[in-house]
Amino acid sequence: MAFKRSLSALVLALPLLANGLVTRRTICADGTSVANGACCKLIPVVKDLTENLFEGECGDAAHGALRLVFHDAIAISPTLGGGGADGSIAVFNATELTFHANTGIDDVLDAVGPFLLKHSDVMTPGDFIQLAGAVSLTQCNGAPRVKFVMGRPPPKAAAPNLLVPEPFDSVATILQRFGELGFTKEETVAVIGGSHSVAGADDIVPNEQGIPFDQTPSIFDTQIFVDVQLRGTMIPGNGTTEGEVETAVPGTVRLQSDHLLARDASTSCIWQSFVNQQSKMAQVFGEAIFKMSLLGQTQSKLVDCSEVIPRAIPFSHGPATLPPGQTLKDIEQACAASPFPTLSTQPGPVTSVPAIPQADDS
């Protein structure tokens, strides 16, 4: 892995920022007004990420940056340790990429890593990963503008293994993992469902990459909460792999963990509650992602640089719908408290959702 070799040369004597009292606003070189002048140095980084990594698209690179936020930050435990959102997944990649749950993160680091190294004189790895994740969301129609704070110290060690949830984990295991870090059930469902709204699987279907989890992988919407609730009828590729169950939409793949969250008595009504509730889903997701970015950190020691994050793209896609040829009878109703929302069916013949073009495709 190219990035793995390059990072071995990175000296972790990186700049740290104090959270001093600021009474006057600063106008950065590009005209951005910030409460703390230290945030100005992030503006060229944001521009570089937007133009040269994400290329203004909610595509594979943006999806990968968001995935990296989760895999780095969630790796902390009150009993087992770990640094949380500290960048250890990049700095100590030789260790953390051997963890089964981090399968495929090597490709993400190969894409993101050169930018992390390029800006290592400005930001620590933990800050960079969270900034890249926040900027990645602003490439996606409907995604929230997530707050960003700076000043995380460099990581001291690799995170322990077995802290990142797996797609074959039970609902109880997932809730326990999130719960011990202070996340509610609603936040847990929003983070998982929302993240999979703009994502694809690279290591689930053999010899296939970029297989979407729902019909709209470049749009941050609630379609994932409909597609996963449909009765599964097919498996993409040749046979199932661990953590995969039948999907209902041609061209997509369904994770067992999503399937169970949509059907378990403890989470099914929460899952259903996000269907066509775009504002609610975006708000809960955004607040939970920011909360995740603080894991292992002391917020009072960090500088709020949220002003450098680009404005969110307003949601303009329309309501979630049923795929062509399917009706509400194809929904596997799981919430006992309320019926599934009424949805329209997309017109036309059944089609297959195309794979997400990969960042290294020419």
Coordinates of all heavy atoms in Angstrom, one line a residue, residues 133-180:
G133 N -13.8 14.4 6.5 CA -15.2 13.8 6.6 C -16.2 14.8 6.5 O -17.2 14.7 5.8
A134 N -16.0 15.9 7.2 CA -17.0 17.0 7.2 C -17.1 17.6 5.8 O -18.2 17.9 5.3 CB -16.6 18.1 8.2
V135 N -16.0 17.8 5.1 CA -16.0 18.4 3.8 C -16.7 17.4 2.8 O -17.4 17.8 1.9 CB -14.6 18.8 3.3 CG1 -14.6 19.3 1.9 CG2 -14.0 19.9 4.2
S136 N -16.4 16.1 3.0 CA -17.0 15.1 2.1 C -18.5 15.2 2.1 O -19.1 15.0 1.0 CB -16.5 13.7 2.5 OG -17.2 13.2 3.6
L137 N -19.1 15.4 3.2 CA -20.6 15.5 3.3 C -21.1 16.7 2.5 O -22.2 16.6 2.0 CB -21.0 15.6 4.8 CG -20.9 14.2 5.6 CD1 -21.0 14.5 7.0 CD2 -22.0 13.3 5.1
T138 N -20.4 17.7 2.4 CA -20.9 18.9 1.7 C -20.8 18.7 0.2 O -21.3 19.6 -0.6 CB -20.0 20.2 2.1 OG1 -18.7 20.1 1.6 CG2 -20.0 20.4 3.6
Q139 N -20.3 17.6 -0.2 CA -20.4 17.2 -1.7 C -21.7 16.5 -2.0 O -22.0 16.3 -3.2 CB -19.2 16.3 -2.1 CG -17.9 16.7 -1.5 CD -17.5 18.1 -1.9 OE1 -17.4 18.5 -3.1 NE2 -17.2 19.0 -1.0
C140 N -22.5 16.1 -1.0 CA -23.6 15.3 -1.2 C -24.9 16.0 -1.0 O -25.1 16.6 0.1 CB -23.6 14.1 -0.2 SG -22.1 13.1 -0.4
N141 N -25.8 16.0 -2.0 CA -27.1 16.6 -1.9 C -27.8 16.1 -0.7 O -28.0 14.9 -0.5 CB -27.9 16.3 -3.2 CG -29.2 17.0 -3.3 OD1 -30.0 16.9 -2.4 ND2 -29.4 17.8 -4.4
G142 N -28.3 17.0 0.2 CA -29.1 16.6 1.3 C -28.3 16.4 2.6 O -29.0 16.3 3.7
A143 N -27.0 16.3 2.5 CA -26.2 16.0 3.8 C -26.1 17.2 4.6 O -26.1 18.4 4.1 CB -24.9 15.5 3.4
P144 N -26.0 17.1 5.9 CA -25.9 18.2 6.8 C -24.5 18.8 6.8 O -23.5 18.2 6.4 CB -26.2 17.6 8.2 CG -25.7 16.2 8.1 CD -26.0 15.8 6.7
R145 N -24.4 20.1 7.2 CA -23.1 20.7 7.4 C -22.7 20.4 8.8 O -23.3 20.9 9.8 CB -23.2 22.2 7.2 CG -21.9 23.0 7.2 CD -22.2 24.5 7.2 NE -21.0 25.3 7.0 CZ -20.9 26.6 7.2 NH1 -21.9 27.2 7.7 NH2 -19.8 27.2 7.0
V146 N -21.7 19.6 9.0 CA -21.3 19.1 10.3 C -20.2 20.0 10.9 O -19.3 20.5 10.2 CB -20.7 17.7 10.2 CG1 -20.1 17.2 11.6 CG2 -21.8 16.7 9.7
K147 N -20.3 20.3 12.2 CA -19.4 21.2 12.8 C -18.0 20.5 12.9 O -17.8 19.3 12.8 CB -19.8 21.5 14.3 CG -21.1 22.3 14.3 CD -21.3 22.8 15.8 CE -21.7 21.7 16.7 NZ -22.0 22.1 18.1
F148 N -17.0 21.4 12.9 CA -15.6 20.9 12.9 C -14.8 21.7 14.0 O -14.8 22.9 14.0 CB -14.9 21.0 11.6 CG -13.4 20.7 11.6 CD1 -13.0 19.4 11.8 CD2 -12.5 21.8 11.6 CE1 -11.6 19.2 11.9 CE2 -11.2 21.5 11.7 CZ -10.7 20.2 11.8
V149 N -14.0 20.9 14.8 CA -13.1 21.6 15.7 C -11.7 21.0 15.5 O -11.5 19.9 15.1 CB -13.6 21.3 17.2 CG1 -14.8 22.1 17.5 CG2 -13.8 19.8 17.5
M150 N -10.7 21.9 15.8 CA -9.3 21.5 15.6 C -8.5 21.6 16.8 O -8.8 22.4 17.7 CB -8.8 22.5 14.5 CG -7.3 22.4 14.2 SD -6.9 23.5 12.8 CE -7.1 25.1 13.5
G151 N -7.4 20.8 16.9 CA -6.5 20.8 18.0 C -6.3 19.5 18.6 O -5.7 19.4 19.7
R152 N -6.7 18.4 17.9 CA -6.5 17.1 18.5 C -5.0 16.8 18.5 O -4.3 17.0 17.5 CB -7.2 16.0 17.6 CG -8.7 16.1 17.6 CD -9.4 15.3 16.6 NE -10.8 15.5 16.5 CZ -11.4 16.5 15.9 NH1 -10.7 17.4 15.3 NH2 -12.7 16.7 15.9
P153 N -4.5 16.2 19.6 CA -3.1 15.9 19.6 C -2.8 14.6 18.7 O -3.7 13.9 18.4 CB -2.8 15.5 21.1 CG -4.1 15.2 21.6 CD -5.2 16.0 20.9
P154 N -1.6 14.4 18.3 CA -1.2 13.2 17.5 C -1.5 12.0 18.3 O -1.5 12.0 19.5 CB 0.3 13.4 17.3 CG 0.6 14.8 17.5 CD -0.4 15.3 18.5
P155 N -1.8 10.9 17.6 CA -2.1 9.6 18.3 C -0.9 9.0 19.0 O 0.2 9.2 18.5 CB -2.6 8.7 17.2 CG -2.0 9.2 16.0 CD -1.9 10.7 16.1
K156 N -1.1 8.4 20.1 CA 0.0 7.8 20.8 C 0.3 6.3 20.5 O 1.4 5.8 20.7 CB -0.2 8.0 22.3 CG -0.2 9.5 22.7 CD -0.5 9.6 24.2 CE -0.5 11.0 24.7 NZ -0.8 11.2 26.1
A157 N -0.8 5.6 20.1 CA -0.7 4.2 19.8 C -1.8 3.7 19.0 O -2.8 4.5 18.8 CB -0.7 3.4 21.2
A158 N -1.7 2.5 18.4 CA -2.8 2.0 17.6 C -4.0 1.7 18.6 O -3.8 1.4 19.7 CB -2.3 0.7 17.0
A159 N -5.2 1.7 18.0 CA -6.4 1.4 18.7 C -6.4 -0.1 18.9 O -5.8 -0.9 18.1 CB -7.6 1.8 17.9
P160 N -7.1 -0.6 20.0 CA -7.3 -2.0 20.2 C -8.2 -2.6 19.1 O -9.0 -1.9 18.4 CB -8.0 -2.1 21.5 CG -7.7 -0.8 22.2 CD -7.6 0.2 21.1
N161 N -8.0 -3.9 18.9 CA -8.9 -4.6 17.9 C -10.3 -4.8 18.4 O -10.5 -4.7 19.6 CB -8.2 -6.0 17.5 CG -8.8 -6.6 16.3 OD1 -9.6 -6.0 15.6 ND2 -8.4 -7.8 15.9
L162 N -11.2 -5.2 17.6 CA -12.6 -5.6 17.9 C -13.4 -4.4 18.5 O -14.4 -4.7 19.2 CB -12.5 -6.8 18.9 CG -11.7 -8.0 18.5 CD1 -11.7 -9.0 19.5 CD2 -12.3 -8.5 17.2
L163 N -13.1 -3.2 18.1 CA -13.9 -2.1 18.6 C -14.8 -1.5 17.5 O -15.8 -0.8 17.8 CB -13.0 -1.0 19.2 CG -12.3 -1.3 20.4 CD1 -11.5 -0.1 20.9 CD2 -13.3 -1.7 21.5
V164 N -14.5 -1.8 16.2 CA -15.3 -1.3 15.1 C -16.4 -2.3 14.8 O -16.1 -3.5 14.5 CB -14.4 -1.1 13.8 CG1 -15.3 -0.6 12.7 CG2 -13.3 -0.1 14.1
P165 N -17.6 -1.9 14.8 CA -18.7 -2.9 14.5 C -18.6 -3.5 13.2 O -18.1 -2.9 12.2 CB -20.0 -2.0 14.6 CG -19.6 -0.8 15.5 CD -18.1 -0.6 15.2
E166 N -19.0 -4.7 13.1 CA -19.0 -5.5 11.8 C -20.4 -5.7 11.3 O -21.4 -5.7 12.0 CB -18.4 -6.9 12.1 CG -16.9 -6.9 12.6 CD -15.9 -7.1 11.5 OE1 -16.3 -6.8 10.3 OE2 -14.8 -7.6 11.7
P167 N -20.5 -5.9 10.0 CA -21.9 -6.1 9.4 C -22.6 -7.4 9.9 O -23.8 -7.5 9.7 CB -21.6 -6.1 7.9 CG -20.1 -6.4 7.8 CD -19.5 -5.9 9.0
F168 N -21.8 -8.3 10.5 CA -22.5 -9.5 11.0 C -22.8 -9.5 12.5 O -23.2 -10.4 13.1 CB -21.6 -10.8 10.7 CG -20.1 -10.6 11.1 CD1 -19.7 -10.7 12.4 CD2 -19.2 -10.4 10.1 CE1 -18.4 -10.6 12.8 CE2 -17.8 -10.2 10.5 CZ -17.4 -10.3 11.8
D169 N -22.5 -8.3 13.1 CA -22.8 -8.2 14.5 C -24.3 -8.1 14.8 O -25.1 -7.7 13.9 CB -22.2 -6.9 15.1 CG -20.7 -7.0 15.3 OD1 -20.2 -8.1 15.3 OD2 -20.1 -5.9 15.4
S170 N -24.7 -8.6 15.9 CA -26.1 -8.5 16.3 C -26.5 -7.1 16.7 O -25.6 -6.2 16.9 CB -26.4 -9.4 17.5 OG -25.7 -8.9 18.7
V171 N -27.8 -6.8 16.7 CA -28.2 -5.5 17.1 C -27.8 -5.2 18.6 O -27.4 -4.1 18.9 CB -29.8 -5.4 17.0 CG1 -30.3 -4.1 17.6 CG2 -30.2 -5.4 15.5
A172 N -27.9 -6.2 19.4 CA -27.5 -6.0 20.8 C -26.0 -5.6 20.9 O -25.7 -4.7 21.7 CB -27.8 -7.3 21.6
T173 N -25.2 -6.2 20.1 CA -23.8 -5.9 20.1 C -23.5 -4.5 19.6 O -22.7 -3.8 20.2 CB -23.0 -6.9 19.2 OG1 -23.1 -8.2 19.8 CG2 -21.5 -6.6 19.2
I174 N -24.2 -4.1 18.5 CA -24.0 -2.8 18.0 C -24.5 -1.7 19.0 O -23.8 -0.7 19.2 CB -24.8 -2.7 16.7 CG1 -24.2 -3.6 15.6 CG2 -24.8 -1.2 16.2 CD1 -25.0 -3.7 14.3
L175 N -25.6 -1.9 19.6 CA -26.2 -1.0 20.5 C -25.3 -0.9 21.8 O -25.1 0.2 22.3 CB -27.6 -1.3 21.0 CG -28.6 -1.2 19.9 CD1 -30.0 -1.6 20.4 CD2 -28.7 0.2 19.3
Q176 N -24.7 -2.0 22.2 CA -23.8 -2.0 23.3 C -22.5 -1.2 23.0 O -22.1 -0.4 23.8 CB -23.4 -3.4 23.7 CG -22.6 -3.5 25.0 CD -21.1 -3.3 24.9 OE1 -20.6 -3.5 23.8 NE2 -20.5 -2.8 25.9
R177 N -22.0 -1.3 21.8 CA -20.8 -0.7 21.4 C -21.0 0.8 21.3 O -20.2 1.6 21.8 CB -20.4 -1.2 20.0 CG -19.1 -0.6 19.4 CD -17.8 -1.3 20.0 NE -17.4 -0.6 21.2 CZ -16.6 0.5 21.2 NH1 -16.2 1.0 20.1 NH2 -16.3 1.0 22.4
F178 N -22.1 1.3 20.7 CA -22.4 2.7 20.6 C -22.8 3.2 22.0 O -22.4 4.3 22.3 CB -23.5 2.9 19.6 CG -23.1 3.0 18.2 CD1 -22.8 1.9 17.4 CD2 -22.9 4.3 17.6 CE1 -22.4 2.0 16.1 CE2 -22.5 4.4 16.3 CZ -22.2 3.3 15.5
G179 N -23.6 2.4 22.7 CA -24.1 2.9 24.0 C -23.0 3.2 25.0 O -23.1 4.2 25.8
E180 N -22.0 2.4 25.0 CA -20.9 2.6 26.0 C -20.1 3.9 25.7 O -19.4 4.4 26.5 CB -20.0 1.4 26.1 CG -19.1 1.2 24.9 CD -18.1 0.0 25.2 OE1 -18.1 -0.5 26.3 OE2 -17.4 -0.4 24.2

